[in-house]
Amino acid sequence: MYESLIVMLSGIVVYGIVYQFYVKWFDRSVVQSDPNRPTPAHTYLDGVEFFPSNKYVMLGWHWKSIAALGPVTGPALAIVWGWLPGFLWILIGNSLLGWLHDYNSMVSSVRNEGASLGPLTYQLIGTRARKVLVAFLAFYSILIFSAFLGALLPVVKGTGAGGAAAMVSFILIAVIGVASGFSIFRAKINVVAVTGISLAAVALSVYLSQVVFGSTINSAFNSAVPNAQLQEDILLISMLGFSFLGAVLPLWSFAMPINYLGFYVAYFVIAAIIGSSFVAPQTFAQPLFTNWFAPVAIGANTAGASAITSISFPLWPLLFVTIACGACSGWHGLIGSSLSSKQLDNEADAHFVGGGGMLLEGILGLTSVVAVGIIANTTGIGALSLYVKGGAIYLSNLLIPSAASTAIMALMVLILGLTLTQLALRFARLAISEMVGARFLKNIYVTSIIVSIITFVLTSSRFSAPWGFIWTLFGGSNQLLAGVTLLVTTLWLAKIKRNTFLTGIPAIFMLGTTIVALSYTAYATLDIAATTNTPLKVYGNAVAGGIAVILTILGIVLSYDGFRAYRRIRVGGVSTPSMTPGPVLAKAAGSETPKPAFTGELAET
Amino acid sequence: MAKKVEEAKNPKKQSEVAKAAKGLFYGMALHGMVTYALRLRMHMENLFMLITMGDMLGIPVLPPYYSLRLLPYAVPSLKTWKQTLLRDRDITDSLY
């Protein structure tokens, strides 16, 4: 009884203890952070990319950058094993692996002149590993795009909650966001005034489009487009179109102001669910544990079609890739090493920003466990629709009307999801043009269209593999990236002659688990492609299976190179020369005492 | 009343909490937008520097006469400009 209270409270207590004892001890004793050692923010100070920021600012920014839809979707999907396995993995995985990964990626970058994961891989493992990493990132970003669009599809289709009205709300918010972006960046109107007016307009548009006219919009859409498959195509293409605009337009004119407005809605909801778990604790309707091999119906998401068959999802390894971001995520390593590390004021802030940020992310993952745990019947409902339904109950416990609660929840997941898909598409086109190098792929429109077509094939139920497998593929690639990051940071610790046990064992666990999970996914999707009676589904499953095979091979190559590099470093071998400027080049550039040339009023904010 | 007395007793603690709350909010809501705006300006200024002072990197765009006329205005930015351009960038630096 009152499991929601128990889950949230135990998360806060356990993470608090972990932060107080393990995180601080590791920072002090293993990494031996020195607050007096200059960070890249000081040595390469340019007032733009490199500048020291307050640790609270960095925590807020880092947490917002790592907290998206991943931590809430994974636990919702993992409910097939019951709520306890997901809860334990978020709690224990984050305490033993997650924060270590985020913190180490950040601090290793700080100690290597702000080098991000690519140059670190090159320095510590070798040239081939860096090339493999770029290829890996190209597939990874496509999978992020596809997995999140697939997760959002049931919400906008209205299977459980939301519907086309939620999409209309989101389009209205996008329009308001673009207008606010122009007001702030072009018309130079006061940010506070623009924010106030825009948020009032957002509230009004949500109220009108979902609460007042929601059922009218949904029924009008259903009667205008009676074919369920066609409905899905229209909704999917509109989401792809939105992401496309976000990927090709300048960030300030589209993606950034929409993200800014969305932030208020999304974090209001997260805070409300956490608060409601304490104020009005709920009893879970979901079982504690179901089965080591959870049966999952595949093909059930096809509009109007019945399930093809049922397939087993083994708890190991699939749970550990299904729940990615709340427990351990490779994405965070990219953020920590490429962005946060360049703005840390001193090394001693790294455990607060990196470790603390990841533990807060775990709390976000737990909101999903408590939201989905109270839903009695989860059959045939998408993972995010479950989160929307469960979250709406928590919001209505805070005296928000039921219809408005569902509307806000549906909008919140759309905001979190679609802001991420824009970023994923933007990154995918960069990674693909870097990986292939062909001239025509340098064109942002061409690359974005190619990625969108691949994503459509992976996501649409006309072609696709079951979404559960697409999510597993995304989770597998994400966790494999986390394993590689842990491996790289282990190599860095070995290089500076520190204890590598605490990061080495998690690295082996993550690499081993994800390679097995990807192999299983490859087998399952290729098996469906070979046996399905629906001709179009051959393509989607074959593409998914092909990507799984490629990722498995890339993962094995990276792991092999990584372990060879570990042996080389242990026997005192020389690592690859640095890709970052280094003291010699910096001196040649005359930057011994660099001045912030580009600081304006904003930099002093 | 008791709250005011407590605030008077621990003014530093109070301000630290307020600083943390403000910092967190700013970091979550605005820090990304601010750094993006700065980066955009940096790229524009880098481009301007490249056009006007390209000779220094072996890329003559403007005739040296004009570069030399502009040089005094560019001097404060030269070191950071060279450092930014010479820094090798990886795809993993291009997330945002």
Side-chain angles (χ1 to χ4, degrees), chain B residues 1-77:
Chain B
M1 187 64 185
K3 196 181 169 188
K4 280 187 179 172
V5 172
E6 186 64 29
E7 278 175 17
K9 276 182 186 172
N10 297 313
K12 198 178 172 189
K13 194 176 177 186
Q14 179 68 19
S15 66
E16 188 65 22
V17 172
K19 195 175 139 191
K22 276 168 69 178
L24 272 174
F25 178 77
Y26 167 76
M28 289 169 78
L30 286 164
H31 188 65
M33 287 225 292
V34 169
T35 48
Y36 175 73
L38 286 169
R39 209 174 298 140
L40 201 62
R41 191 172 71 172
M42 178 189 77
H43 291 316
M44 299 300 280
E45 291 194 20
N46 278 346
L47 193 62
F48 175 76
M49 292 286 285
L50 188 69
I51 292 167
T52 52
M53 302 292 143
D55 311 54
M56 292 185 178
L57 299 175
I59 311 167
V61 181
L62 275 188
Y65 171 79
Y66 298 107
S67 298
L68 285 170
R69 288 290 299 268
L70 289 169
L71 187 61
Y73 304 100
V75 164
S77 308

Side-chain angles (χ1 to χ4, degrees), chain A residues 49 130 343 591 595 598, chain B residues 31 41 80 83 89-90:
Chain A
E49 285 177 295
R130 197 252 166 198
Q343 292 173 19
S591 60
K595 299 279 188 298
F598 304 106
Chain B
H31 188 65
R41 191 172 71 172
T80 318
Q83 184 186 297
R89 282 166 198 280
D90 187 71

Side-chain angles (χ1 to χ4, degrees), chain A residues 98-169:
Chain A
W99 78 263
L100 262 177
H101 167 275
D102 287 27
Y103 165 75
N104 276 314
S105 63
M106 193 180 290
V107 81
S108 59
S109 169
V110 168
R111 290 273 182 93
N112 285 281
E113 300 162 356
S116 55
L117 187 61
L120 278 177
T121 309
Y122 173 77
Q123 278 178 45
L124 294 165
I125 304 181
T127 318
R128 183 172 72 175
R130 197 252 166 198
K131 285 180 185 165
V132 169
L133 185 72
V134 172
F136 179 80
L137 287 174
F139 289 108
Y140 171 59
S141 44
I142 293 172
L143 287 171
I144 295 178
F145 192 22
S146 181
F148 283 101
L149 283 185
L152 291 172
L153 210 46
V155 178
V156 290
K157 275 162 70 180
T159 49
M167 196 64 202
V168 172
S169 290

